[in-house]
Amino acid sequence: MTLAHHRPKQPDLLRQQVLAAAVRLAVEKGAEAVTLDAVARRAGVSKGGLQHHFPGKRALIDALFDRMWQRFSAELAAEMAADPEPRGRAARAYIQVGTRGLPDEEGDFWRAALTLMLADPTLRERWSAWVRQAWQADLAAEADVTTLLVCRLAADGLWLSDLAGYDAVPPARRADVVQALVAMTYAKETPR
């Protein structure tokens, strides 16, 4: 009998343990390393135990992406709800949430999700669909969508440099860049 039979059943803890193992594999070895066998070994569970929670690799990857996405979406919604100015609201929320520093564990989830998203067209399409929907809010508010797009892409650059672990922009200058991007979202031009 394995130790697993003697452990108290804690399905939520086991799910988190398995997701954390998948994250570590994706961050350390790339998307192709995230196999059910490798994740089970890394998590210290049987493959059957893993499959009880995640029937296949697709379910595991979707769960990892969903976890990251739910947190990101909740933070965006909170930022947007707190912003009284409709023009550029979605872009400001994206800038604020995307350029916040991430704790190591959360950063690893983002790195893993990005690694998996780059390798998986289904995840890329899910992300793209959200981006298209988010911009509808700014389009409806008659914001300068070209400026907002520039702001979002600049925020993506800061976010990706954080995830990649290179410090191209000193912290004080970085704060100035974020502040300038946010200020740009208040432009009163109409769409072109």
Side-chain angles (χ1 to χ4, degrees), residues 66-89:
D66 290 346
R67 179 190 180 277
M68 178 275 306
W69 180 247
Q70 288 165 357
R71 288 184 180 193
F72 185 67
S73 295
E75 287 185 50
L76 281 173
E79 283 288 332
M80 289 178 70
D83 187 341
E85 172 58 45
R87 191 175 296 192
R89 180 184 292 151

Side-chain angles (χ1 to χ4, degrees), residues 37-100:
D37 288 329
V39 171
R41 273 192 309 277
R42 178 66 69 100
V45 300
S46 69
K47 186 174 178 183
L50 181 148
Q51 288 179 304
H52 175 75
H53 296 279
F54 305 102
K57 183 175 177 176
R58 175 88 261 153
L60 177 64
I61 289 172
D62 285 344
L64 189 148
F65 191 81
D66 290 346
R67 179 190 180 277
M68 178 275 306
W69 180 247
Q70 288 165 357
R71 288 184 180 193
F72 185 67
S73 295
E75 287 185 50
L76 281 173
E79 283 288 332
M80 289 178 70
D83 187 341
E85 172 58 45
R87 191 175 296 192
R89 180 184 292 151
R92 280 189 296 284
Y94 188 87
I95 293 164
Q96 295 292 358
V97 173
T99 61
R100 282 187 190 136

Side-chain angles (χ1 to χ4, degrees), residues 129-143:
W130 175 83
V131 169
R132 286 189 300 271
Q133 177 190 1
W135 291 114
Q136 293 306 310
D138 284 337
L139 287 171
E142 298 184 0

Side-chain angles (χ1 to χ4, degrees), residues 9-159:
K9 302 296 181 203
Q10 299 174 319
D12 291 338
L13 183 62
L14 181 62
R15 281 180 62 84
Q16 292 310 312
Q17 184 178 335
V18 168
L19 287 176
V23 164
R24 294 302 327 145
L25 283 167
V27 169
E28 292 170 7
K29 297 182 180 184
E32 66 282 349
V34 181
T35 66
L36 294 181
D37 288 329
V39 171
R41 273 192 309 277
R42 178 66 69 100
V45 300
S46 69
K47 186 174 178 183
L50 181 148
Q51 288 179 304
H52 175 75
H53 296 279
F54 305 102
K57 183 175 177 176
R58 175 88 261 153
L60 177 64
I61 289 172
D62 285 344
L64 189 148
F65 191 81
D66 290 346
R67 179 190 180 277
M68 178 275 306
W69 180 247
Q70 288 165 357
R71 288 184 180 193
F72 185 67
S73 295
E75 287 185 50
L76 281 173
E79 283 288 332
M80 289 178 70
D83 187 341
E85 172 58 45
R87 191 175 296 192
R89 180 184 292 151
R92 280 189 296 284
Y94 188 87
I95 293 164
Q96 295 292 358
V97 173
T99 61
R100 282 187 190 136
L102 296 170
D104 287 342
E105 180 184 331
E106 197 63 26
D108 283 347
F109 262 91
W110 275 98
R111 281 181 202 86
L114 180 62
T115 299
L116 294 167
M117 187 169 49
L118 291 174
D120 186 329
T122 302
L123 296 180
R124 282 196 308 275
E125 179 50 38
R126 285 176 65 189
W127 182 263
S128 295
W130 175 83
V131 169
R132 286 189 300 271
Q133 177 190 1
W135 291 114
Q136 293 306 310
D138 284 337
L139 287 171
E142 298 184 0
D144 176 2
V145 291
T146 301
T147 299
L148 297 179
L149 180 58
V150 168
C151 293
R152 185 185 69 81
L153 292 172
D156 282 346
L158 287 172
W159 175 68

